[in-house]
Every structure is written in C-alpha cells, then in structure tokens.
Amino acid sequence: MDNEMKLEIRSKSCNEAFARIVVAAFASQLDPTLEEIADIKTAVSEAVTNSIIHGYDSKDGVIHINCKLIDSSIEIEIIDYGKGIENIDVAKQPLYTSKPELDRSGMGFTIMESFMDFFSVESIVGMGTKIKMRKEIKK
Amino acid sequence: MLVNYEEHTRTLVISFDGEIDHHSCASMAVISDDAIKKYLPQKLIFDFRGVKFMDSAGIGMIIGRYKQLIRFGGKAEMQNVGDDVKRIFNMVGIFKIIPLAKEKEEV
Ligand SMILES: Nc1ncnc2c1ncn2[C@@H]1O[C@H](COP(=O)(O)OP(=O)(O)O)[C@@H](O)[C@H]1O
Ligand SMILES: [Mg+2]
C-alpha cells in the first residue's frame, strides 16, 4: 500500500475531533484493528490539541497534518507555526505541563510515545513544532 | 451528559457520553462543578458508560473535579469504564485515588 493525504485546519478546538476522525478514516485502508484505530485517534488528538492550546495559545493559526501509508504502516506529521518548545526533554516528561491551571494532565507526549511505534518532536522557539509518528498495522 | 442526585444517600452520579477531549471537556467541567457545589455530595460517581473516546484531557478534567469535591469532603468512584478509557486512566494510576465501583450485575 502506498498513499498520501494532506489536511490543513484552523486551530479551533472543534477541529480536534475532525482531525482524528479524518486520520483514522485514512488509516482504515490498512485494515487496522479497533485498538490500533483507537491508538491512532488518541495520538492525533493529543498532538492537534497541543498545537491549539500550547503552540497557538488558543489563538488563531494553521495546523498541517500530513499522512502517508507506506507498506503496512501509517506515518503522521502534525505541524504548527506557533511558539515552539524551549526544552523538549522537560516537555516530554510524564505529568509535565506548562498549563496546570487549565486542568492539563501532562500526559499528551507520554500517550503519543506509548501508543505509536515511532514518535519524535522537532521544535524551534518562535517558529513552531513538528510531531512525527508512525504506527505499524500488524497483519 | 446526565447529572442525577439521590438525596437520601447523598450520592451524585455524573454520566458522561460521546467523546471526551479538550473541546468537550470545557462544558463537562462547568456542569460537573455546578452540580458538586449545588449538592455537596458525600459520594460522587463518574459514569463512563456512553463514552466512545477519551484522550488525556479526560484525566485533567476528572482530577480537576475531584479536587473540587474533596474541598467539601466528598468521596469519588468511577463506573462503567470501557477498556480504551481504562488504558488512559491507568497511565496515571488514577484508580488509586478514584477507585472503580464494584460492577453491578447487568440485567
Ligand atoms: N505544539 C506545541 N507547541 C508548544 N508547546 C508545546 C506543544 N506541544 C507540547 N508543548 C509543551 O509540552 C508540554 C507537555 O505536553 P503534553 O505532554 O501534551 O501535556 P499537556 O498538554 O497536558 O500540558 C506542554 O505543557 C507544553 O508546554
Ligand atoms: Mg497535551
């Protein structure tokens, strides 16, 4: 299987559900299990939510979601052009959040890391953040 | 979402449905906090029977409500937590502070 899909959305919280449903629908071409679909949906939801509330501080911005199907895996990139992350190692720690006042749990990165087979964060302060993830759909 | 208060046992049941994410959490938090302040329950049960999806926003939302509740001395439990939701909650060991209610027999 070889396929590609690109999606551009505005940083509105109502688009969190839209983004994860679109990516899950695209991934369904690989015939994933319900659990694999739940993993992908959750990881996408975490990354898109982070772009909205952290990257853009809930202000207007654009989020790009690029997906590729390569053999039996899906590669997902989620990109924002927001404020960026100063210290990625600290940000990735379980329970770390820079916004505890907003009822955040600090588990977003931990979930992306454990639900996907590959996960990386690239970020430049003042420029934005790119999350790359890959999930292998087992046959 | 459904809020149900039983006076004689002073038990408040808050039942969530649909998808719990950062977007939907905002109103769920307000409705829950209003009910907690109104009834000051002795026991609060969070019911997840109708929940189809939850991400880490759900952890923050439930812990936030739990913090409201214990200010007034109440105790909390969760029930009807599906496997996907359980997996998210287990990542932070939430059931140690908000235990799962004993499963009732389904009729
Ligand atoms: N796209 C992003 N842009 C800027 N900062 C981010 C982004 N994603 C994550 N972060 C930072 O990393 C921290 C940890 O993220 P996460 O694990 O998802 O926890 P939470 O979202 O609950 O704070 C956030 O609190 C924020 O400071
Ligand atoms: Mg997050």
Side-chain angles (χ1 to χ4, degrees):
Chain A
M1 177 74 76
D2 224 11
N3 202 353
E4 199 171 345
M5 179 280 280
K6 291 187 179 179
L7 182 69
E8 181 182 303
I9 55 171
R10 297 269 293 280
S11 58
K12 293 178 176 293
S13 68
C14 58
N15 283 332
E16 292 156 7
F18 175 73
R20 65 178 178 258
I21 288 164
V22 169
V23 176
F26 187 65
S28 69
Q29 295 174 28
L30 296 175
D31 208 11
T33 63
L34 286 177
E35 186 174 337
E36 285 164 338
I37 282 285
D39 290 348
I40 292 167
K41 265 192 180 174
T42 311
V44 169
S45 194
E46 296 293 350
V48 170
T49 302
N50 279 355
S51 292
I52 293 170
I53 57 182
H54 302 301
Y56 292 119
D57 274 321
S58 303
K59 295 185 198 81
D60 196 27
V62 154
I63 300 168
H64 284 127
I65 300 170
N66 302 330
C67 296
K68 275 185 190 167
L69 305 183
I70 301 168
D71 297 328
S72 60
S73 64
I74 178 164
E75 279 185 15
I76 306 165
E77 286 180 350
I78 292 165
I79 305 157
D80 67 63
Y81 311 91
K83 71 169 183 231
I85 303 173
E86 235 162 85
N87 190 330
I88 294 175
D89 287 334
V90 169
K92 278 164 76 179
Q93 280 169 18
L95 304 176
Y96 172 81
T97 178
S98 54
K99 292 196 190 308
E101 75 282 2
L102 290 186
D103 277 345
R104 304 304 305 163
S105 63
M107 291 302 287
F109 280 146
T110 309
I111 285 176
M112 291 180 233
E113 201 153 23
S114 63
F115 284 21
M116 301 297 273
D117 294 310
F118 170 84
F119 161 79
S120 75
V121 186
E122 291 164 34
S123 192
I124 301 173
V125 173
M127 297 282 286
T129 301
K130 182 194 273 189
I131 304 298
K132 285 188 190 175
M133 305 186 277
R134 191 179 65 237
K135 180 97 179 157
E136 186 75 37
I137 304 304
K138 307 199 173 58
K139 276 284 124 66
Chain B
M1 207 180 145
L2 222 83
V3 171
N4 196 356
Y5 182 64
E6 207 183 74
E7 182 65 53
H8 73 279
T9 53
R10 295 193 54 201
T11 300
L12 177 65
V13 181
I14 298 179
S15 309
F16 300 105
D17 43 43
E19 309 210 317
I20 304 181
D21 62 9
H22 158 252
H23 179 73
S24 63
C25 268
S27 66
M28 290 175 174
V30 171
I31 293 168
S32 301
D33 286 350
D34 285 351
I36 291 168
K37 277 185 215 127
K38 180 172 172 193
Y39 298 115
L40 303 177
Q42 217 154 57
K43 187 163 157 187
L44 170 57
I45 300 175
F46 295 110
D47 189 304
F48 288 82
R49 189 192 297 277
V51 175
K52 307 269 182 302
F53 172 88
M54 188 183 88
D55 67 16
S56 75
I59 300 174
M61 193 266 291
I62 292 299
I63 291 177
R65 309 303 58 82
Y66 179 73
K67 285 180 180 163
Q68 294 290 324
L69 176 77
I70 57 176
R71 283 171 52 207
F72 308 111
K75 280 196 164 58
E77 280 182 8
M78 295 204 242
Q79 71 185 18
N80 297 314
V81 182
D83 288 345
D84 286 341
V85 173
K86 209 178 264 177
R87 211 153 50 111
I88 304 281
F89 279 140
N90 271 329
M91 297 193 82
V92 293
I94 203 169
F95 300 122
K96 283 183 212 122
I97 58 162
I98 310 176
L100 283 166
K102 298 238 172 0
E103 299 291 334
K104 288 194 201 84
E105 285 291 319
E106 292 283 331
V107 193

